[in-house]
Amino acid sequence: MTIQFNDETFRDDYSYHNSPAAIRRFPFPFDKDDYMYAVNMEPHGSGRAGSPFENRFDVDEHYVAEMRDREITLKEDPLRCQSLPHMELAGWDLLELIMEAKSEDYPELFSLHRDGDRWHWINRPLGIDHKFTFLDPTTLPYGPMEYITRQAQGDFAVLDQRDGNLWMEAGMVTSQADWSLDFDIGMNFFEWHAPVPLAHEMGIFQRALKFLLAIQQDAPSRRLNWTMTVNPRLDTSPENYHKWGPEKRTLTPENTGEKQYLRVELQTFFRLPRSNGLAFPIRCYLISLQDLVTVPKWGRRLHRVIRDLPDELAEYKGFTVNRPLIVEYLSRFDDGKPTSPGIFPDE
Amino acid sequence: MPATKFTPSIISRPIYGGLTPHGTVPALMLASGPGGEALLDLIAADPAVLPHATVIYIPEGSDLGPRLEAQGPASYVEAASYASILPRFRKLLAEAPMNTRLYLAGTEGLIGQATAEALAAGMLLEAIEAEHRGSLARRMQCVHCKGITEDVTTDPFTCSHCGLSLFVRDHYSRRYAAFQGVCVDAETPGEVPPKQEIKA
Ligand code: HEM
């Protein structure tokens, strides 16, 4: 499989776009017509062929443009990438995990040659050809986590595991749905989830943590999360909220299909072998409503989900002001017919 | 002024359990303003805490100093401000024996900063007791420019560094010893709601 990488932007003129193939393989997050928080975890690593779940780290047509966008964000705000001193070993774990997975799953794009601790990494899409010594930070231009996550789509949180909890102590976060790595660094699982409504009371975080603490090496898991974003913007950070906030109010009945995006996070969980830490990649997928409704099942279902979503969730996800416009637009694509179970389009 | 009772909030927001005496173990006591009353109550509850106690008091206009000193702790020092006493407080933390208890009383800013120092010095959270007394002012971090504004008493407030109008969140970082402030008119520039006093 060869991938044509898009020349596109996630800011300013927003030239981001999905090819017809990217639309078909979009990770639509709803397996039924309504939505509520749940401990929605499943094994990850060998999902349906062609889907974003096929490989451990999905590489798609947006790869090169996303890495360019990350570089811009980091230049403006280096605090989006942080690693407490004791997290360096976990950074090497993550580098190894990503290099192994990508070179095995996409051999035409990435290669890794290893001779003891002397490693040779080739990343063809980004034009990187680099020899370094594994576990020797002086042979890399950045720390190991920063080095590899500048070459991997999605955000990354790296958690230390101790005292029966997970601690957010490293991360690369440039495409987040409105939370701050800099503020959350040092927090445990319950603390960084504090702002989420309802889920604490439902016992979801207690059960989720138990599940995460028990994740074994080579047995990764995944879940999907979602929100709504106006314009295909990766950097919807609180840091820059005063810059992208006004765009949220530019939605009109005429432009909703084009400007309103469903934002889906494919969140995966990997145990790290040397540090016993946990890697948490958060891969962001964006699709405009007008592209989404080209799959009739998705148009029908998204209409019902958004229309019936509990107010607390719409408020937390930040689209209360735009919900009427979104529901009105989507209602045009809902003929009331039943939908099939599962997330994939009907053939 | 009694201990403040806060409305229940989200999990990252600190809860101050109040000061309960732990007997004769080595103790570091740090209080500001009306927080001095909490130390007096602690000592009254169990005078055994005194012989091994180092007391630092920041009066902030309060006249409790002489009464605290008269209790007869192992050592007593009065400080002009938290910033001025910080180097000495750090040294005390660094030299504190393993079983030392830390008793903190005063505003959230004082409790939070002293807690962060103690944790950084290797103290366990379980060894730290805190009681809120006095002003409800919060120490706020601007999520945009990262600057800290001390003694915030209204919501919204103006960031003392970048000048944005920020609303006051309950989300709290122990590392920064600060709550998060977020631009209140980000989506509708210029539409800043009227200021309200922060409540408990
Ligand atoms: C260890 C890995 C994880 C990390 C680092 C993480 C991080 C986060 C962060 C930073 C937020 C935003 C909170 C805010 O508003 O500031 C969030 C939201 C959330 N997380 Fe997690 N999370 C993890 C695992 C999980 C798991 C396993 C679940 C399973 C139920 C979960 C459920 C949620 C939910 C329901 C939300 C609210 C999302 C929304 O409504 O858009 N998280 N998470």
Side-chain angles (χ1 to χ4, degrees), chain A residues 44 98 118 133 160-161 166 207 218 221 247 269 274:
Chain A
H44 178 64
I98 295 177
R118 286 162 52 214
T133 306
D160 195 28
Q161 181 161 327
L166 293 166
R207 276 179 285 136
D218 299 321
S221 289
E247 292 177 17
F269 305 87
R274 294 174 190 75

Side-chain angles (χ1 to χ4, degrees), chain A residues 182 191 239 241 248-249, chain B residues 144 146 174-176 187:
Chain A
D182 180 58
E191 291 168 343
E239 277 81 359
Y241 178 41
K248 263 177 77 175
R249 304 296 180 112
Chain B
H144 311 289
K146 307 296 179 190
R174 248 204 301 270
R175 188 172 71 114
Y176 277 119
E187 295 179 24

Side-chain angles (χ1 to χ4, degrees), chain B residues 41-115:
Chain B
D41 290 351
L42 173 75
I43 294 163
D46 183 4
V49 296
L50 270 174
H52 304 280
T54 299
V55 175
I56 302 173
Y57 184 57
I58 308 162
E60 289 175 349
S62 164
D63 58 1
L64 296 168
R67 274 176 64 202
L68 272 169
E69 188 169 17
Q71 303 294 314
S75 83
Y76 175 82
V77 58
E78 230 166 85
S81 66
Y82 177 70
S84 72
I85 201 66
L86 184 55
R88 189 193 293 217
F89 181 52
R90 277 196 183 132
K91 184 154 189 286
L92 287 167
L93 285 172
E95 292 165 354
M98 277 294 285
N99 58 339
T100 301
R101 309 285 314 190
L102 179 60
Y103 298 96
L104 303 169
T107 59
E108 296 206 75
L110 178 89
I111 294 171
Q113 291 177 85
T115 301

Side-chain angles (χ1 to χ4, degrees), chain B residues 7-23:
Chain B
T7 326
S9 177
I10 64 175
I11 284 173
S12 58
R13 194 214 194 301
I15 295 170
Y16 310 105
L19 305 184
T20 40
H22 290 266

Side-chain angles (χ1 to χ4, degrees), chain B:
Chain B
M1 191 174 272
T4 310
K5 283 207 173 59
F6 289 100
T7 326
S9 177
I10 64 175
I11 284 173
S12 58
R13 194 214 194 301
I15 295 170
Y16 310 105
L19 305 184
T20 40
H22 290 266
T24 57
V25 296
L28 258 174
M29 301 183 184
L30 171 63
S32 66
E37 288 172 29
L39 292 189
L40 288 169
D41 290 351
L42 173 75
I43 294 163
D46 183 4
V49 296
L50 270 174
H52 304 280
T54 299
V55 175
I56 302 173
Y57 184 57
I58 308 162
E60 289 175 349
S62 164
D63 58 1
L64 296 168
R67 274 176 64 202
L68 272 169
E69 188 169 17
Q71 303 294 314
S75 83
Y76 175 82
V77 58
E78 230 166 85
S81 66
Y82 177 70
S84 72
I85 201 66
L86 184 55
R88 189 193 293 217
F89 181 52
R90 277 196 183 132
K91 184 154 189 286
L92 287 167
L93 285 172
E95 292 165 354
M98 277 294 285
N99 58 339
T100 301
R101 309 285 314 190
L102 179 60
Y103 298 96
L104 303 169
T107 59
E108 296 206 75
L110 178 89
I111 294 171
Q113 291 177 85
T115 301
E117 283 297 331
L119 294 175
M123 202 168 214
L124 297 176
L125 202 53
E126 298 85 74
I128 306 172
E129 312 240 328
E131 183 158 322
H132 184 273
R133 298 259 184 151
S135 160
L136 295 171
R138 292 189 185 193
R139 194 175 132 89
M140 301 293 308
Q141 188 202 30
C142 172
V143 76
H144 311 289
C145 79
K146 307 296 179 190
I148 300 273
T149 304
E150 302 280 356
D151 293 324
V152 171
T153 57
T154 66
D155 177 15
F157 69 101
T158 305
C159 174
S160 63
H161 302 265
C162 69
L164 286 174
S165 293
L166 307 179
F167 68 91
V168 173
R169 289 190 77 190
D170 279 349
H171 201 23
Y172 181 86
S173 159
R174 248 204 301 270
R175 188 172 71 114
Y176 277 119
F179 292 92
Q180 191 177 66
V182 179
C183 184
V184 70
D185 59 339
E187 295 179 24
T188 50
E191 283 181 31
V192 177
K195 286 186 179 171
Q196 311 235 336
E197 287 294 310
I198 290 176
K199 296 200 182 68

